[in-house]
Amino acid sequence: MTLDHPETPHTLRSIQEMLGLSRSAIAGLIANGFVSPKRGPRNAYRFSFRDVVLLRTAHDLQQADIPTRKILRALQRLKATLPEELPLTGLRITAVGNSIAVHDRESRWEAETGQLLMDFDVAATRGSVAFVDRRREPTAPAVSAEEVFARAEVLESKDMKAAEAAYREVLAIAPDHADAYLNLGAILCESDRQAEAAHLYDDALHRLPDVPLLHFNRAVALEDLGRLDEAIQSYERCLKLDPTIGDAHFNVGRLYDHLGHRREAIRHFSAYRRLQK
């Protein structure tokens, strides 16, 4: 789709025709704060080139079920970098891994991180703005995630920094690789970076909420940080998913006992002893 004369403010009707969005969809995006178009004659909306880009981006991210708060955070940063009018070099906005990447012919920068399912171009073509959908199958990585994971495991006994980098490479290739999260988090905790580990586990659980050991490892990191109530919640979530993890019963029982909750402590210590038989 193209729009001639990009320096001219765009009307609601032209936005509908260009982006294929209904009037109510555009109104909803405005109401949610994604764009703040100016008003023209008869109080009608007037959209800039930047508004067009933000509307299209917000719509695509909503269709990908990205939370509104995350979209707003990304677009606030993106809005600060986009020009009001079409740059001569053109722009390209794509989802790269967990980030929104903004490109022009001279530079490339991130607007926000997050798992985004959006890839389209905004390009200058003979004075027009062209939106080109680029939804293609991802190119297979040259090295598989499992190959890099195996290398990372070997590196743990030789070079911890290299192992950490390798596990991060695994997650760049396969963002849902639970074992890579577990091992990387363990490395972070062993190097006294518990806060970073807890943040890593939060990201992991956003993708993999039903992996018990991710909850367990998160609880260990939170316990080391002194965030005992949160640690208890993570241990309990771990046990809800898998009540046979004895160490989770023991650890949460110990925390309950420390906080003076004797009944809960006894319940978990009893479960721990039963599992040891």
Side-chain angles (χ1 to χ4, degrees):
M1 290 172 283
T2 62
L3 174 66
D4 295 328
H5 308 300
E7 70 279 0
T8 304
H10 313 304
T11 65
L12 182 59
R13 180 181 295 276
S14 68
I15 293 292
Q16 288 179 261
E17 294 175 352
M18 181 176 61
L19 300 184
L21 301 179
S22 67
R23 179 183 293 267
S24 60
I26 296 173
L29 292 170
I30 295 171
N32 282 323
F34 294 129
V35 293
S36 301
K38 296 178 180 179
R39 295 284 188 170
R42 299 182 181 179
N43 209 33
Y45 285 125
R46 289 292 182 265
F47 299 87
S48 68
F49 164 75
R50 183 169 62 185
D51 291 331
V52 174
V53 175
L54 296 176
L55 278 170
R56 177 60 184 271
T57 305
H59 176 70
D60 280 6
L61 297 181
Q62 281 191 327
Q63 294 301 303
D65 294 326
I66 303 301
T68 297
R69 184 171 59 179
K70 181 177 285 292
I71 299 173
L72 279 171
R73 191 165 58 243
L75 294 190
Q76 284 171 355
R77 295 186 61 189
L78 178 58
K79 187 174 182 179
T81 62
L82 283 175
E84 285 287 351
E85 305 301 340
L86 176 65
L88 295 177
T89 54
L91 289 174
R92 183 184 177 198
I93 304 172
T94 59
V96 179
N98 294 334
S99 303
I100 300 177
V102 183
H103 313 248
D104 61 24
R105 292 180 183 175
E106 298 177 353
S107 60
R108 174 178 181 270
W109 67 97
E110 290 185 0
E112 170 60 286
T113 59
Q115 186 179 12
L116 307 176
L117 305 177
M118 176 271 296
D119 191 1
F120 67 91
D121 284 349
V122 182
T125 307
R126 296 182 181 178
S128 300
V129 181
F131 290 93
V132 183
D133 283 326
R134 303 179 66 85
R135 303 179 187 279
R136 300 173 180 171
E137 291 297 322
T139 303
V143 181
S144 73
E146 292 307 321
E147 289 175 309
V148 181
F149 182 81
R151 174 161 55 86
E153 287 187 305
V154 172
L155 286 169
E156 280 198 52
S157 61
K158 301 177 180 179
D159 186 338
M160 200 63 78
K161 287 186 178 180
E164 177 182 339
Y167 283 127
R168 293 189 187 279
E169 184 180 349
V170 173
L171 293 174
I173 298 170
D176 295 337
H177 200 296
D179 288 339
Y181 281 114
L182 291 168
N183 290 5
L184 176 56
I187 288 176
L188 295 175
C189 286
E190 289 173 8
S191 57
D192 294 325
R193 295 152 67 189
Q194 285 84 356
E196 191 175 344
H199 182 70
L200 174 76
Y201 290 133
D202 286 342
D203 289 343
L205 288 167
H206 180 72
R207 297 172 180 274
L208 304 163
D210 297 326
V211 177
L213 287 179
L214 286 173
H215 290 279
F216 180 88
N217 283 18
R218 178 178 183 268
V220 172
L222 292 171
E223 187 176 350
D224 287 344
L225 291 169
R227 294 158 59 181
L228 303 188
D229 289 338
E230 293 175 78
I232 286 174
Q233 291 175 5
S234 285
Y235 282 131
E236 292 285 16
R237 178 58 181 163
C238 167
L239 290 168
K240 185 175 181 180
L241 292 168
D242 186 353
T244 67
I245 299 178
D247 286 344
H249 282 292
F250 182 84
N251 288 2
V252 75
R254 178 170 43 77
L255 290 181
Y256 277 130
D257 184 60
H258 174 75
L259 295 174
H261 303 304
R262 295 290 298 165
R263 180 177 298 179
E264 289 84 353
I266 291 171
R267 176 168 61 87
H268 283 288
F269 284 142
S270 297
Y272 172 75
R273 285 193 292 271
R274 285 195 300 271
L275 290 170
Q276 302 310 303
K277 295 179 180 179

